[in-house]
Amino acid sequence: MPVAYLLVRIKITREEGWPEYRQKVAELFAKHGGRYLVRCGPVEVLEGSYDGRRLVVFEFPSMVVIRSVWNSPQYAKLKKLRQGSGELDVWAVPGV
């Protein structure tokens, strides 16, 4: 079965909006087969450097599902909860 991952690096600049966003995004992603694999936690640097941003990794059934959820009206509403309170890098990658 194909699998894909959504990787997110987050720098929170203002806590306001994040708790509700985290809860609701987890619920929305779960409805589409997404699940947390990594949700921050301690980072052990084995090589290179770590800039302190939070790391989140979701697993989804496919790249198609990630695109569908990311571009959905439901996610657009949730995104507004965190706008202006952080900086994100978000990548979608197919699994092997």
Side-chain angles (χ1 to χ4, degrees):
M1 176 175 181
V3 66
Y5 301 96
L6 187 69
L7 297 97
V8 185
R9 284 192 314 185
I10 306 166
K11 178 181 178 184
I12 296 177
T13 56
R14 184 172 42 96
E15 265 305 313
E16 186 179 328
W18 283 99
E20 185 179 2
Y21 172 78
R22 279 190 290 262
Q23 175 193 350
K24 291 187 175 191
V25 83
E27 292 169 2
L28 175 65
F29 287 3
K31 288 180 185 177
H32 296 275
R35 67 183 184 106
Y36 281 109
L37 294 181
V38 175
R39 197 165 123 186
C40 203
V43 172
E44 181 178 342
V45 177
L46 301 176
E47 188 171 330
S49 62
Y50 172 60
D51 65 6
R53 286 184 276 179
R54 297 176 187 202
L55 176 65
V56 179
V57 179
F58 291 94
E59 179 183 70
F60 280 88
S62 69
M63 291 291 289
V64 170
V65 172
I66 290 174
R67 286 186 205 103
S68 175
V69 174
W70 189 259
N71 295 309
S72 71
Q74 296 87 358
Y75 183 71
K77 289 178 188 176
L78 295 181
K79 191 174 179 179
K80 291 178 184 179
L81 293 172
R82 64 157 172 83
Q83 285 184 326
S85 62
E87 302 166 8
L88 277 74
D89 292 317
V90 182
W91 306 289
V93 295
V96 293

